[in-house]
Amino acid sequence: MPKHLLLFTIGPVQSFIAQARKTQDLYAGSQLLADLIHSGISYIQGMQGELIYPNDISKTSEFNSDIEKNDNSYPNRIVALLNAKDINVFAKGLENLIQNCFEQKANALFKGVLSSKDQPLGMCEQLKNFLEIYWVAVPYDEGTDNYKNCFKELEANLAIIKNFRQIHQFPKQELGRKCNVDGQYNVKVYRKEFSEKDKKFQDIQYKKLFSQDNFIISPDYKKIQLRHIQPGEGLSAISFFKRLYRNKPNQSFPSTATIALLNLNQPLKQILEAYKDLFGKNCYDNQLLFKDNLTQKYFEKYWIHSKQYEGNSSSKETIKQDQQRLLLAAQKQLENLIKLIKEQKLLYTKYYALLRFDGDSMGKWLAKATQKKQHQTFSKYLMEFAKQARIYLDVKNRGKTVYAGGDDFLGFVNLGSLFEVVAHLRQLFQKIIAQKVEELYPDEADPFTFSMGVVVAHYKTPLSEVVKKSKLLEAQAKLYRKAENQKDNTGLCFMTSSAVLAEAYFKNEDWKILECLVERLKDKDLTNKFIFSFAQELRSLSGEYNFAQTDLLRAATKTELARLIKRSTGSHKKIDTCLIEQLQYLLSEHYKTIDFNKYYLDDQNYIHFLKLAEKLAAELQKND
């Protein structure tokens, strides 16, 4: 029987994951794609195919139609060796399996909250036309030792197919309000705002949604809970599926506010539980641990009510009275909670970090394999690293992993654990992947590295913007040292709820310098005055210089930096000469070559590096 190498991929990846208003959207999007890949893997193994990439699943595992049984993340592609009489029939069967799994799981979740008469007609159409599935196959003869060329041909053929993107057209044009999450498909499920509670469904359909093919629910509709759709929110079938997927009370992904306050869980566990107990079922979120959300307006907008209200009269007056009583009780308990936070000197910040990284030059590394065994071994290293990274972040309460698919990772990190997490992930990557890859490819001189995009963001910053920014930072980080043909970099930025205050790029090894500077500023061994003064001086030095001028400028700026740091160190504090030398070294790295005998100082990036340290230090010392 002829053998074939098959490459199978599912999309859309980036847009499906990035379209998120809540952390649950982000998690569900990535996990759903991973679960579909898991089903594909199980199918291939059930048909006696040999898995090449990813390669960490037992060959004895049986196909499981329940895609929610998977706990791992996987890359959005499968490479397998198949004994198939007709490879087209096999691949088409795999494609149909994935599409059916997607539609059946969505319809099962919809039926759990919507009766058949309530389900909008267009929901099925949106599901049928969403997935982008591509596959290519080439004949493979194991006796010819031609694996490298076959894999190269697979990649080339896939690139050609993707250039001719699939176009799906709805039977009729979708006219109406678009989904709050994806902005692409029409709203199919809408939850009324508190102010719309008594409005007729038809009025909302005609005047707000501009369509009748949708299901409208009241603010207190219990079958579809608030964590699935908030008041005033309209979702397409795709986005509603993401909200329902793996979103049971014991499975819901933590919010950005919860990530920011993770460090309070252990020391204040009982007090936090008592505070949470004030609120009604399914209407509590850790955003209520911030004073600016304890308002009547916020309670009305998000339908916040007490436990006592459950099942009682739903008149506006009754609800308002309940909310006012709850508001007073919550404000009093939160004041006591903040006092305890101050006394115990715990971190109490509204900021968290979204950390993303991706293996550098993955295409190049995959192309190095001359045998399928090398790809299988490489994949095992990647999946083991992903597993250990997830355990470290999730189990140790330092954050929460969105996905860890091998060389790529996306996760939320509590700000107090950011430096520890970055250092540990770099060590894990070096130990589990980089060192072993060197053994796998002994003739390769370049090390296997990864580049990061890290966004420190306010919990109210639109999540879609944070995700988009992290992706951009990661891409720019890979290009930061392009002139030197070096990657292994980080792009880091600090975002408030409305703006980016600082953004810088640096080598991954320079995280140690940043951490050291943040610690000195946080502990007030050093004031931030030197940053402002040095920034003013550097700005006046922008321009082009020849070699001799650059040499003088290097010496002068290093001396001035040391002088300003010493002046900003309190008289009773010991001057940290090690930190001065590290910052001087980093400054010298910011002199860039333009052309022969032409140089310039990248003052903006260096200033922003210092500003990032200042902003991080200010947040890490907050406890009120």
Side-chain angles (χ1 to χ4, degrees):
M1 191 179 293
K3 288 191 175 184
H4 286 82
L5 268 182
L6 173 76
L7 196 164
F8 185 91
T9 181
I10 304 173
V13 180
Q14 296 305 328
S15 60
F16 187 52
I17 294 172
Q19 288 166 350
R21 291 187 81 194
K22 301 172 69 174
T23 55
Q24 175 62 30
D25 300 337
L26 194 64
Y27 168 73
S30 62
Q31 194 59 57
L32 177 55
L33 290 176
D35 291 349
L36 291 173
I37 286 288
H38 174 78
S39 288
I41 289 169
S42 299
Y43 177 76
I44 287 170
Q45 290 183 329
M47 300 295 285
Q48 305 305 310
E50 183 182 358
L51 200 63
I52 296 173
Y53 183 91
N55 193 264
D56 75 323
I57 298 182
S58 168
K59 291 181 181 178
T60 60
S61 66
E62 296 179 1
F63 171 69
N64 193 329
S65 60
D66 187 352
I67 58 179
E68 289 191 55
K69 294 292 183 183
N70 168 44
D71 289 325
N72 298 316
S73 299
Y74 297 106
N76 71 313
R77 53 168 45 201
I78 301 170
V79 179
L81 182 61
L82 301 164
N83 285 314
K85 199 176 224 180
D86 190 330
I87 191 65
N88 292 294
V89 172
F90 180 93
K92 197 64 184 174
L94 179 56
E95 183 179 340
N96 291 336
L97 168 78
I98 297 297
Q99 182 64 38
N100 289 338
C101 274
F102 180 74
E103 290 183 41
Q104 287 170 13
K105 178 54 68 174
N107 286 321
L109 290 172
F110 292 159
K111 284 176 184 176
V113 294
L114 295 173
S115 64
S116 55
K117 67 180 179 65
D118 292 330
Q119 194 170 136
L121 296 173
M123 289 186 90
C124 293
E125 289 299 326
Q126 289 183 349
L127 292 169
K128 284 178 183 175
N129 292 290
F130 181 72
L131 287 182
E132 296 173 3
I133 300 174
Y134 301 97
W135 61 269
V136 290
V138 296
Y140 178 66
D141 183 355
E142 287 190 281
T144 61
D145 195 23
N146 199 29
Y147 179 80
K148 186 172 184 176
N149 290 335
C150 286
F151 183 76
K152 187 178 179 180
E153 187 180 348
L154 272 183
E155 292 280 10
N157 289 345
L158 182 66
I160 292 169
I161 291 174
K162 283 192 171 184
N163 281 335
F164 298 95
R165 286 194 172 273
Q166 300 171 7
I167 298 174
H168 300 292
Q169 188 168 348
F170 289 118
K172 60 180 181 178
Q173 188 178 5
E174 278 203 329
L175 298 174
R177 176 174 159 177
K178 300 305 176 187
C179 171
N180 284 100
V181 175
D182 60 54
Q184 180 181 357
Y185 294 95
N186 266 16
V187 168
K188 294 301 173 188
V189 182
Y190 176 80
R191 180 171 234 132
K192 288 182 178 182
E193 295 180 7
F194 182 79
S195 59
E196 297 172 324
K197 184 170 172 51
D198 298 326
K199 273 191 178 182
K200 292 181 179 178
F201 291 163
Q202 291 84 352
D203 288 344
I204 293 174
Q205 286 176 325
Y206 283 112
K207 296 178 183 178
K208 194 165 188 175
L209 303 181
F210 311 108
S211 168
Q212 291 178 280
D213 186 27
N214 39 55
F215 182 60
I216 299 172
I217 58 177
S218 60
D220 56 350
Y221 185 79
K222 289 183 171 59
K223 220 172 182 183
I224 301 176
Q225 295 172 2
L226 287 163
R227 70 173 184 272
H228 298 139
I229 181 168
Q230 295 177 339
E233 197 171 35
L235 301 178
S236 66
I238 306 298
S239 297
F240 190 48
F241 179 23
K242 282 164 72 174
R243 284 285 172 84
L244 295 173
Y245 194 69
R246 296 202 179 206
N247 196 2
K248 296 169 185 173
N250 61 339
Q251 289 181 327
S252 291
F253 199 87
S255 66
T256 52
T258 300
I259 299 294
L261 299 171
L262 269 179
N263 55 289
L264 301 180
N265 284 356
Q266 288 304 116
L268 301 175
K269 186 176 180 180
Q270 290 183 335
I271 298 162
L272 289 171
E273 285 297 324
Y275 181 72
K276 183 179 177 179
D277 204 43
L278 290 173
F279 299 89
K281 187 179 179 182
N282 300 317
C283 69
Y284 175 82
D285 182 83
N286 278 341
Q287 292 193 36
L288 294 165
L289 286 169
F290 297 120
K291 288 187 283 188
D292 52 346
N293 293 325
L294 295 186
T295 65
Q296 184 70 30
K297 186 178 178 181
Y298 185 90
F299 277 32
E300 288 179 3
K301 182 178 180 181
Y302 295 106
W303 200 253
I304 309 297
H305 54 79
S306 69
K307 285 177 68 176
Q308 287 70 32
Y309 169 73
E310 302 284 348
N312 292 340
S313 166
S314 58
S315 69
K316 282 188 177 181
E317 194 58 38
T318 305
I319 296 163
K320 279 194 174 182
Q321 288 173 0
D322 175 81
Q323 288 175 335
Q324 286 166 359
R325 287 193 296 269
L326 175 61
L327 190 56
L328 289 172
Q331 286 170 339
K332 187 176 179 181
Q333 281 210 27
L334 186 57
E335 277 182 29
N336 294 331
L337 182 60
I338 291 172
K339 283 180 185 176
L340 276 173
I341 291 171
K342 283 183 180 181
E343 288 171 9
Q344 297 188 32
K345 296 182 179 179
L346 299 171
L347 177 64
Y348 182 58
T349 177
K350 295 178 181 178
Y351 286 82
Y352 67 93
L354 181 66
L355 186 152
R356 175 197 292 272
F357 64 75
D358 179 61
D360 293 325
S361 306
M362 273 298 292
K364 182 190 82 171
W365 283 97
L366 287 172
K368 288 181 184 299
T370 57
Q371 302 170 4
K372 67 179 182 183
K373 184 67 177 174
Q374 285 177 304
H375 263 174
Q376 290 170 326
T377 305
F378 188 33
S379 178
K380 284 178 182 178
Y381 295 158
L382 293 173
M383 298 308 290
E384 177 59 25
F385 167 71
K387 179 183 174 183
Q388 294 301 323
R390 181 189 289 273
I391 290 172
Y392 179 79
L393 192 63
D394 297 0
V395 176
K396 301 293 185 180
N397 208 39
R398 295 177 176 92
K400 189 69 177 175
T401 305
V402 177
Y403 66 78
D407 69 299
D408 57 343
F409 178 92
L410 180 68
F412 292 91
V413 183
N414 177 264
L415 198 57
S417 301
L418 178 59
F419 289 107
E420 178 191 346
V421 167
V422 168
H424 189 80
L425 289 180
R426 288 188 65 223
Q427 288 171 4
L428 269 182
F429 188 87
Q430 188 65 26
K431 180 182 176 182
I432 297 176
I433 301 180
Q435 290 177 1
K436 292 181 179 179
V437 165
E438 288 176 12
E439 297 169 9
L440 192 62
Y441 301 108
D443 297 330
E444 178 56 46
D446 295 329
F448 185 38
T449 59
F450 69 79
S451 292
M452 285 189 280
V454 183
V455 181
V456 175
H458 190 280
Y459 79 99
K460 283 190 174 180
T461 307
L463 185 59
S464 59
E465 293 302 311
V466 178
V467 174
K468 194 187 301 179
K469 187 65 178 177
S470 71
K471 184 67 179 173
L472 182 62
L473 287 167
E474 179 196 74
Q476 292 297 320
K478 290 179 183 290
L479 300 174
Y480 175 58
R481 292 189 290 159
K482 189 176 181 180
E484 306 157 54
N485 198 28
Q486 295 291 321
K487 294 184 179 179
D488 196 22
N489 307 314
T490 292
L492 173 64
C493 85
F494 189 98
M495 292 179 81
T496 65
S497 56
S498 58
V500 175
L501 296 187
E503 178 180 324
Y505 298 87
F506 49 92
K507 293 187 281 188
N508 282 340
E509 64 187 43
D510 293 337
W511 272 96
K512 293 177 182 177
I513 300 176
L514 182 63
E515 182 179 12
C516 185
L517 180 56
V518 168
E519 284 299 315
R520 298 300 179 275
L521 290 167
K522 183 168 73 78
D523 296 340
K524 298 184 179 177
D525 294 336
L526 187 64
T527 69
N528 60 7
K529 290 180 182 177
F530 88 93
I531 297 174
F532 177 76
S533 301
F534 195 58
Q536 283 187 313
E537 294 181 17
L538 281 190
R539 285 194 188 100
S540 66
L541 297 172
S542 60
E544 294 181 12
Y545 300 90
N546 61 34
F547 180 79
Q549 291 169 328
T550 303
D551 219 26
L552 287 171
L553 192 60
R554 281 178 194 267
T557 50
K558 284 172 72 174
T559 302
E560 181 61 6
L561 177 62
R563 184 186 74 82
L564 290 171
I565 291 175
K566 289 172 184 176
R567 196 175 72 177
S568 295
T569 305
S571 56
H572 63 290
K573 301 287 185 181
K574 185 179 178 182
I575 296 171
D576 194 334
T577 53
C578 179
L579 177 61
I580 292 174
E581 288 172 1
Q582 287 177 325
L583 290 174
Q584 286 177 327
Y585 153 76
L586 190 63
L587 177 61
S588 67
E589 293 279 297
H590 281 74
Y591 286 89
K592 307 291 184 181
T593 304
I594 300 174
D595 204 347
F596 177 73
N597 204 29
K598 280 187 180 180
Y599 305 86
Y600 78 100
L601 171 60
D602 188 359
D603 59 297
Q604 184 174 349
N605 193 66
Y606 188 75
I607 291 166
H608 276 241
F609 181 90
L610 300 179
K611 283 186 175 179
L612 282 169
E614 179 189 7
K615 296 296 178 187
L616 286 169
E619 282 307 314
L620 289 171
Q621 64 188 12
K622 283 186 176 178
N623 66 352
D624 57 22

